[in-house]
Amino acid sequence: MNVQNPSRVADLHALADGIEKAALADLHAAAPEDLARRIGLQAFEAGGALVSVVGGDPSIVLNRTSGLGVSAPVTADDVRRIRATYSAAGVGRHFVQVHPEAGLTGLARWLEEAGYRPQRRWMKFIRGRQPIALPETALQIREIGPEHATDFGRIVAEGFDLSELGAELVGSLAGRRGWRLFMAFADDRPAATGALFVQGRTAWLDWGSTTRAHRRKGAQAALLARRVAVALELGCEAMFTTTGEWVEGDPQHSYKNIQRTGFEELYLSCNYAPS
């Protein structure tokens, strides 16, 4: 996919931001009412961003403000409201994710004044409709439903440092419309996970995690390829995913798997966390 044309790039940035926020919002919507209450779910929009608050889980993949400054202007009041909401929910560590060009509005100064400091950025990736070859693996890759919701949540929790409630929340995606969940099995034992969220002709790949006992066996490469193949079958024109930016000395397993699956770097999303 050619992402060089400036106007086209802006459209793709907005598309990437939109599908990521839609997937995060739908995770909130998937939670049963009792779970939403127990885990302290809140979600609202501020400055064009989705503010995801999960008071009962400490993970920044759940407690993050996604897409600040992409689709709407941001004000100092927006930043203060975001910080106050997380504080009131008892969430110490969280991410405010900012489009790289949003700092031109004075946002960086407002974030600093609110006590936020820059953290490691996340790279957004894009893929088009080029064909995909499924890699060989000794693991069995299967699409799963609600019967494996607990296993799915447990494996994701291991990879993303989620609480038991966070695992239950992610597991609630199993069988939900718009989501396709996949699992790698080793001798019929759940070993790794991956999720595909589709909205129209756009797809978001998320929740890739592997149990410690089965890492470095090609599970994530196989799960990525399978999800891409399904997205192609569904007619998706653009697929997006994300992982931490390239840092020297880091093995970058996820980054390399994403690139091997035909994804291209799109842009670095800036992350801010309370100091």
Side-chain angles (χ1 to χ4, degrees), residues 1 27 68 82 119 162 218 237 247 254:
M1 175 174 283
L27 175 63
L68 200 63
I82 291 167
Q119 304 290 310
L162 306 186
E237 298 289 344
V247 175
S254 178

Side-chain angles (χ1 to χ4, degrees), residues 152 179-182 193-197 204-208 227:
F152 190 90
W179 289 88
R180 307 280 291 269
L181 302 191
F182 299 87
T193 60
L196 176 71
F197 176 74
W204 176 255
L205 284 72
D206 208 345
W207 302 119
R227 284 178 283 169

